[in-house]
Amino acid sequence: MPPLRSAGPAPEAERPGEPEQPEHAGQYRLGDCLGSGGMGVVHLATSVSGLRLAIKVVHAEHATDPEFRARFRQEVTAARRVSGAFTAPVVDADPDALRPWMATLFIDGPTLAERVKRNGPLELGELRRIGAGLAEALRDIHRAGVVHRDLKPSNVLLASDGPKVIDFGISRPSDSDLRTETGKLIGTPPFMAPEQFQRPRDVGPAADVFALGAVLVHAATGRGPFGSDSPYIVAYQVVHNEPELAGVPAELVPLLTRCLSKDPADRPTPGEVMAELRSPVGEVDTASLSLTAAGMADGPVSGPAAKPVREPGTGTGTPGRGAVRQRRMRYAVVGLAVAGLLTGAYAGMRAATWDPVRATGGGPSSARTPAAAPWQTQLARGTGTAAAGDGSSGGAQATPACASDGNALYCSAPGVTAARLSLVDGARLWSREAPAGAGTTGRAPVLADGLLYVTTNGGRRLDAVDPGTGATRWGRDIGSDGAIGFGAGAVFVATTDGTVRALDGATGAQRWRKAHGMTGTTGTRWAPVQGTSDEVVAVTPGADGRSTLVRGIAADSGEVRWEKRLQGRLSPVAQSSPDAAGAAGTHALLLLAADRDGFADAVVRLDTTTRQVRRVPLPVRVDQAQAAAAGGTVYLVGAGGALTAVTTEGAAGAAQRWRLETYMTPASQPVVQGGRVYLSGADGRLLAVDAERGALLGQTRPRMAGAGATVASSLPAPVAVDASGKVFASAPDGSVFAVDAGDPARW
């Protein structure tokens, strides 16, 4: 089984008297108890290949709680998003077992809390190394779209190769008496940021930086910056009082003061913390080298060897930055050596984008299509974090999400419910600002039947908007659990209780309401039926994740015309190039199949007329797969950044057409248009790939340098409009931009 990247378990506070301890977790025989906490018991175990594992088994009383099981499953899902370089990689997990469990590699090292308790406060050099390692871990975690929310000394393991951050997003009922209004634990009070007490739903990556500052104060002094035995008093101190930094080395006081700022916008990014904690001149350590390498790997290296390499998103004008530049120049030789390794691959990618005609000097330049003028416009109010008061949950998602009808671009962003942009120059033709507290969902507006549909208020509100004027035609409250679909002049809303409503697309009036029993763990997804105008397909995974029910439903009456139960957890793949239905046939529905661990393992082709099914196994299981189809070929990309083309036609076997490493982690859903595949990256790059050969044709520059802390919890897909001659994309800094579709090599 491929590793699920996660924090993994660690020794916790002793909890005597745990009843009915199981002897096995899945195939693993449980050994010595490493510790017990509010959530579960951690055991030592050994895999068949001899790997030492730490297996966390959930307490029996929590295993019977459906809400707790859901949180545990969410924890496993979040764990897969994080690189194992700074965590204890998950080897196996079963959230659906009688006693849910998760197995990670055993890390032989104490927690930071144990280290300080045993040996006292850390010396300055060790503080720098651990702090830089934790900052690098947070940078990696945030890039994966995860906010930890509970970083504390007991969640930091001191391994031989650097600190490891563990326990991502687990709410532990016994960790603290302080809870939110809903009763869900949001962290550990001495290490929580002010916004976690004041606005728990708006917590973003800056909260982890606050916790990092508190953890380093604890490591330097043996106590936290806010001290009390009462979590309620600590909460008051965190929100209102200044931190107590007595005993912290003077060199670190300015940095930790900024980390512990009350305003999240005043805190440094993890990249800035890394820069300031690098070793003083004369001392080279792994944190320094990894920072240099990371800065080069995130973008092209230019200029002389002695030019400082700055990690994207670090900004300028920060105290102590000049000294950092001088230190980097001292290590120019080391940086050049690392750059030689990293830029070789990058240069190879760029070389593949050359136009053979232009490169060889052959062919008249007048033979080329005139270039479409590029443009860029700033749409979001914030940069990298949700704008204050917009009601966005989770902070951090500033990437505009767009759609087009061929006449204009329609985008949604934090603070902007919807805006119409000119395809020619990006001018804002009209805009609907998000009301205070309404928020946006991060989803692109949907164009259907001549109207623009936008969701607000956390997905609970649906508005139908006139695309030409921005005026509201009608609006409906649809509930927080509505799975929305569009087609055949109607809007379909399936709720988790199995009820389906059909609303008239033009008026919002209810056409029909049926108890279709479409209940599932991930909700119903909708897809149009090619070749018909009066039927839609509802794809509903089963609650156990083992099968999916696919139904053809009459749009005018709600009648179920046919149904087919298929193996696995399936989701429809969008035909992102409607003009390229090709040999797939006008009645083919393509679906992506995932196993119970969430890894895509097959592409399924269902003929909606004959109900014949063809299942095409993927050569390699794909984590967090996103896909688009053109004809009978599915293009999918996963968390690792590899873009793969898989055909669903022809003879059995040899389904994979090509595979390309994009070096973008994470990447957006692909879009196929005009024989090319387009996708965006978390650093704001847009890539163009030849759909037939899998060759990289071009990529834009990264757009995140100087943008501050940015978490792209989701990356909207680019928009390709053939008639405009442009490709449109967005970046997590809040910008929307257009480039010439005819010449990706010049991007």
Side-chain angles (χ1 to χ4, degrees):
M1 169 175 287
L4 315 180
R5 291 163 298 193
S6 161
E12 298 171 295
E14 286 295 327
R15 174 172 167 156
E18 172 70 15
E20 301 179 6
Q21 279 301 308
E23 294 184 356
H24 289 82
Q27 61 178 312
Y28 308 103
R29 181 175 179 82
L30 301 179
D32 294 340
C33 178
L34 299 175
S36 178
M39 193 192 86
V41 181
V42 183
H43 293 268
L44 189 65
T46 304
S47 72
V48 175
S49 63
L51 290 176
R52 298 179 72 196
L53 305 176
I55 299 183
K56 181 181 293 180
V57 182
V58 169
H59 287 310
E61 66 265 28
H62 302 321
T64 59
D65 182 354
E67 183 177 358
F68 188 91
R69 278 183 174 270
R71 292 205 307 271
F72 186 79
R73 177 176 288 280
Q74 184 175 0
E75 154 66 9
V76 174
T77 300
R80 295 172 182 163
R81 300 172 64 94
V82 181
S83 169
F86 308 104
T87 67
V90 176
V91 175
D92 204 349
D94 189 356
D96 298 318
L98 183 63
R99 294 280 293 274
W101 56 271
M102 180 167 60
T104 72
L105 289 181
F106 174 74
I107 294 178
D108 191 6
T111 66
L112 179 59
E114 293 169 337
R115 165 67 174 78
V116 172
K117 183 176 181 180
R118 183 185 306 123
N119 300 330
L122 277 56
E123 298 295 334
L124 178 60
E126 192 173 6
L127 279 172
R128 285 184 177 276
R129 286 190 292 273
I130 290 177
L134 289 177
E136 189 172 15
L138 288 182
R139 183 197 64 179
D140 195 63
I141 291 165
H142 292 168
R143 283 177 175 173
V146 175
V147 179
H148 191 287
R149 301 196 310 163
D150 196 21
L151 183 67
K152 56 187 178 183
S154 61
N155 280 345
V156 176
L157 286 176
L158 301 181
S160 58
D161 58 346
K164 307 288 185 183
V165 177
I166 63 172
D167 279 351
F168 286 81
I170 297 177
S171 297
R172 299 185 187 176
S174 66
D175 269 357
S176 170
D177 293 328
L178 190 65
R179 302 171 187 269
T180 66
E181 69 277 6
T182 60
K184 294 182 176 66
L185 187 70
I186 57 172
T188 304
F191 303 95
M192 289 165 59
E195 61 267 27
Q196 289 182 269
F197 297 104
Q198 298 170 308
R199 305 178 302 278
R201 295 184 179 181
D202 296 333
V203 172
D208 287 345
V209 176
F210 186 97
L212 172 60
V215 166
L216 292 180
V217 171
H218 177 89
T221 64
R223 52 165 177 75
F226 306 96
S228 173
D229 293 333
S230 167
Y232 299 97
I233 294 177
V234 169
Y236 180 88
Q237 292 174 338
V238 168
V239 173
H240 299 286
N241 294 358
E242 293 303 313
E244 174 57 61
L245 300 182
V248 174
E251 298 94 324
L252 301 184
V253 169
L255 173 62
L256 298 189
T257 299
R258 292 173 56 219
C259 289
L260 296 168
S261 296
K262 306 299 184 188
D263 187 345
D266 292 337
R267 298 172 201 152
T269 68
E272 290 173 330
V273 175
M274 289 168 62
E276 295 201 29
L277 287 178
R278 292 181 66 200
S279 302
V281 174
E283 181 184 347
V284 180
D285 59 29
T286 56
S288 302
L289 294 180
S290 59
L291 173 61
T292 305
M296 296 178 185
D298 283 334
V301 178
S302 60
K307 183 176 180 179
V309 178
R310 179 167 59 87
E311 188 224 6
T314 53
T316 58
T318 309
R321 190 58 51 84
V324 172
R325 292 193 186 99
Q326 293 174 3
R327 289 199 295 271
R328 287 178 179 171
M329 293 178 70
R330 284 284 298 267
Y331 296 117
V333 174
V334 176
L336 181 61
V338 178
L341 296 175
L342 295 174
T343 58
Y346 185 89
M349 294 175 66
R350 298 297 294 183
T353 70
W354 293 348
D355 183 337
V357 175
R358 185 171 65 244
T360 58
S365 58
S366 60
R368 296 193 188 93
T369 302
W375 53 258
Q376 176 172 323
T377 187
Q378 195 72 26
L379 186 63
R381 290 192 311 217
T383 300
T385 57
D390 73 353
S392 300
S393 62
Q397 177 61 38
T399 312
C402 304
S404 178
D405 59 0
N407 299 312
L409 200 64
Y410 304 91
C411 302
S412 175
V416 180
T417 301
R420 176 182 171 117
L421 305 182
S422 167
L423 297 180
V424 176
D425 57 9
R428 196 180 302 202
L429 304 177
W430 57 254
S431 181
R432 293 166 57 100
E433 301 300 312
T440 55
T441 61
R443 295 194 289 264
V446 175
L447 287 150
D449 302 309
L451 288 177
L452 183 73
Y453 296 94
V454 295
T455 51
T456 57
N457 197 21
R460 294 184 289 272
R461 174 79 180 179
L462 177 67
D463 287 322
V465 176
D466 186 315
T469 65
T472 300
R473 292 282 187 87
W474 59 265
R476 274 290 192 105
D477 291 326
I478 58 175
S480 59
D481 56 357
I484 309 173
F486 303 87
V491 180
F492 304 92
V493 182
T495 56
T496 54
D497 64 359
T499 301
V500 179
R501 289 182 292 160
L503 309 178
D504 186 273
T507 66
Q510 181 170 298
R511 287 186 179 180
W512 50 262
R513 181 187 182 98
K514 299 279 188 178
H516 278 313
M518 294 181 181
T519 56
T521 56
T522 59
T524 295
R525 298 292 181 265
W526 301 89
V529 176
Q530 302 293 333
T532 68
S533 59
D534 64 344
E535 186 174 296
V536 292
V537 172
V539 181
T540 306
D544 60 0
R546 298 179 185 275
S547 66
T548 297
L549 184 62
V550 183
R551 289 174 169 176
I553 298 177
D556 58 350
S557 65
E559 173 194 0
V560 177
R561 293 179 173 174
W562 58 267
E563 65 181 37
K564 185 83 170 180
R565 184 167 292 278
L566 303 175
Q567 179 185 353
R569 183 179 299 170
L570 306 183
S571 58
V573 177
Q575 283 278 1
S576 64
S577 183
D579 60 329
T586 57
H587 298 279
L589 176 66
L590 297 177
L591 305 112
L592 200 61
D595 59 21
R596 296 182 68 194
D597 295 318
F599 287 81
D601 58 8
V603 173
V604 176
R605 182 182 183 274
L606 170 64
D607 189 305
T608 55
T609 300
T610 66
R611 317 289 188 264
Q612 289 184 331
V613 177
R614 179 178 181 186
R615 189 179 189 90
V616 181
L618 297 178
V620 178
R621 296 197 309 163
V622 180
D623 186 14
Q624 302 170 55
Q626 300 186 85
T633 299
V634 174
Y635 302 86
L636 66 157
V637 65
L643 177 65
T644 306
V646 176
T647 181
T648 62
E649 300 170 336
Q656 180 173 305
R657 291 178 51 194
W658 50 259
R659 178 183 174 91
L660 173 69
E661 296 292 343
T662 69
Y663 303 99
M664 290 203 305
T665 305
S668 73
Q669 177 181 324
V671 168
V672 191
Q673 182 67 267
R676 291 173 180 166
V677 184
Y678 301 100
L679 65 163
S680 298
D683 58 2
R685 280 184 295 153
L686 171 68
L687 264 64
V689 178
D690 186 291
E692 183 66 28
R693 299 180 294 114
L696 181 68
L697 300 176
Q699 61 180 314
T700 65
R701 61 176 175 82
R703 294 176 182 266
M704 297 310 300
T710 302
V711 173
S713 57
S714 63
L715 291 173
V719 177
V721 183
D722 244 1
S724 71
K726 296 186 179 76
V727 182
F728 308 91
S730 54
D733 63 356
S735 66
V736 180
F737 62 94
V739 292
D740 176 21
D743 197 359
R746 290 185 178 274
W747 290 355

